Amino acid sequence: MARWACALFAIQKTVSMKCKLTPITLCHVGSGNTLKRNVDFVADGDKLGIVDVRKIFDIVGVDGIAGWCSAIDRRENILNYVRGYKPNAQLRDICSTVMDVQDGNSMPEKVDELREHIRSLGVPYIPATSLKGALVTAILAANPYDHKLTIPNKIDKNNKIVDKFFSKGNPQTSVLRFLRVSDAYFTGVPTMAMYCNLLNIRKTSKELSDSKGGQYVEVFYTDESAIIDLDIKTEYMETVSQKGSLGVIPKAMTSVRELLKIVNAHTLKLLEAEKDFWSDSD
């Protein structure tokens, strides 16, 4: 399961083709950045903040840059260094984002990294590419016995399986061209640093918890919904298809209603499989 799939979603169609995207689990979509403690983020009690270098510079000034760099090299707490210039400085004074640590705990001193959630203009969001990928996965999962999904050689690169299913072998003939979805922005939604334990589910291992330990990731959870655009250009797709310029159109791609049926069925299947897995683990 892809990293973004650690969160599941309920999607509700509206008349105007605007959709509500509501998280039903904690969500983490990685930005690709691994933040370093006392360089990129600072912990203070049960909170931590993403460092804003401009805010720090405004406090320490040019004369404080050398000491600031030395503090980073020694991996000292940057907040303590800034308090040498501003004794009552708080995380909000030197950080662009301040978040709680899971369950109100302090982040252990040995923890040195935080996996950052992707943002745009300071707002946590789920990229359209991730959402479209989730829809594609649901469509593929609804057609498990289609011959186009057969992998002839497990050593080969399998990323062409999707192209094979939705097209005639090149992007110009792919029906996915007509599936449009926008980014999902969760404005005003706070994030949280959560500890994620690593689980070893290999059949050869008796220990479920991996001895290598876990990691802290930035997540968000909210009851609020993001509004996204979701559409399938069905009329245009059918016109192009009649000319023989497209691959086979899956039933899920014939309308947004059919697509959402597939998504709901796939979501329930994932939840049932997860429930069964943990029931067996007990």
Side-chain angles (χ1 to χ4, degrees), residues 168-185:
K168 292 183 176 180
N170 62 75
Q172 288 73 27
T173 62
S174 175
V175 297
L176 292 179
R177 292 167 46 200
F178 306 95
L179 175 60
R180 309 292 176 84
V181 60
S182 64
D183 296 329
Y185 292 92

Side-chain angles (χ1 to χ4, degrees), residues 5-167:
C6 61
L8 304 173
F9 304 97
I11 304 179
Q12 176 184 352
K13 181 185 172 187
T14 61
V15 177
S16 64
M17 304 304 290
K18 297 285 185 182
C19 298
K20 288 183 178 180
L21 186 68
T22 308
I24 58 176
T25 67
L26 293 169
C27 179
H28 170 76
V29 182
S31 67
N33 295 329
T34 300
L35 306 183
K36 294 293 185 179
R37 188 172 192 154
N38 293 324
V39 178
D40 305 302
F41 76 91
V42 180
D44 184 33
D46 61 353
K47 297 185 182 299
L48 64 82
I50 310 300
V51 168
D52 185 327
V53 294
R54 292 181 180 274
K55 286 186 175 182
I56 294 178
F57 179 77
D58 287 342
I59 296 174
V60 305
V62 175
D63 295 338
I65 292 179
W68 179 11
C69 292
S70 296
I72 290 176
D73 289 339
R74 295 190 299 269
R75 306 304 292 269
E76 295 178 359
N77 188 307
I78 301 302
L79 181 59
N80 290 338
Y81 173 74
V82 172
R83 282 172 175 164
Y85 292 82
K86 184 178 180 180
N88 61 344
Q90 303 297 319
L91 284 178
R92 64 178 178 274
D93 297 318
I94 66 169
C95 296
S96 58
T97 301
V98 177
M99 67 190 77
D100 292 329
V101 178
Q102 177 188 10
D103 299 329
N105 298 320
S106 297
M107 180 177 282
E109 289 294 332
K110 65 178 182 179
V111 176
D112 195 47
E113 295 180 344
L114 174 70
R115 306 285 180 174
E116 183 185 44
H117 190 288
I118 192 168
R119 280 185 171 79
S120 178
L121 301 176
V123 176
Y125 80 108
I126 303 174
T129 51
S130 295
L131 296 175
K132 190 169 183 177
L135 297 175
V136 169
T137 298
I139 296 172
L140 294 176
N143 297 273
Y145 303 110
D146 192 291
H147 71 279
K148 295 189 293 297
L149 297 179
T150 302
I151 302 174
N153 188 338
K154 293 185 178 180
I155 299 177
D156 290 343
K157 293 181 179 179
N158 299 327
N159 58 348
K160 293 185 179 180
I161 291 296
V162 174
D163 295 335
K164 206 168 140 186
F165 183 82
F166 290 101
S167 73

